[in-house]
Amino acid sequence: MKKIIITDKAPAPIGPYNQAVLVANTLYTSGQIALNPATMELVLNDIETETKQVMENVKAVLEAAEMTFENVVKTTIFIMDMNDFAKINSVYGSYFDDKTAPARETVQVAGLPKGVNVEISMIAVK
């Protein structure tokens, strides 16, 4: 049985999907981009600020499912420019303990929704 996870502390979906789906003890988050949930405006000041907004959005979804970054077992990071990897990685890494960080892949893509530079999705387990 699946449970839909919804919070107003993360951006509302902009298509036919939900912020996350919980199946048994496993949470699958949709990709988050740098939308401010209060205004639904993009936060694109610089790559670090953009990445921080993405991580705060994912954090809100995790919290809505009564989880934290400690529960995350896998992440996928989509980026427009691999030259931004170090800056994205620095912000991303500040949300995890290096000793218990999840598995991850980072992929450069040709395009992302709304012209953003980074999108991140996660899988977490209670």
Side-chain angles (χ1 to χ4, degrees), residues 51 77 84-95 104 106:
T51 304
I77 303 175
D84 288 333
F85 176 79
K87 292 176 182 177
I88 292 168
N89 196 50
S90 177
V91 174
Y92 167 93
S94 70
Y95 286 82
R104 176 185 86 186
T106 302

Side-chain angles (χ1 to χ4, degrees), residues 108-119:
Q108 181 173 320
V109 296
L112 288 168
K114 295 192 169 278
V116 299
N117 300 296
V118 60
E119 180 176 4

Side-chain angles (χ1 to χ4, degrees), residues 3-50:
K3 177 181 178 186
I4 303 303
I5 303 298
I6 301 170
T7 178
D8 61 2
K9 294 179 181 169
I14 55 176
Y17 62 91
N18 286 292
Q19 293 166 329
V21 176
L22 182 66
V23 179
N25 293 327
T26 303
L27 182 73
Y28 302 89
T29 74
S30 292
Q32 288 292 320
I33 60 174
L35 281 170
N36 177 321
T39 64
M40 290 301 284
E41 304 253 334
L42 288 170
V43 178
L44 302 176
N45 307 33
D46 55 59
I47 195 64
E48 292 94 346
T49 305
E50 185 176 349

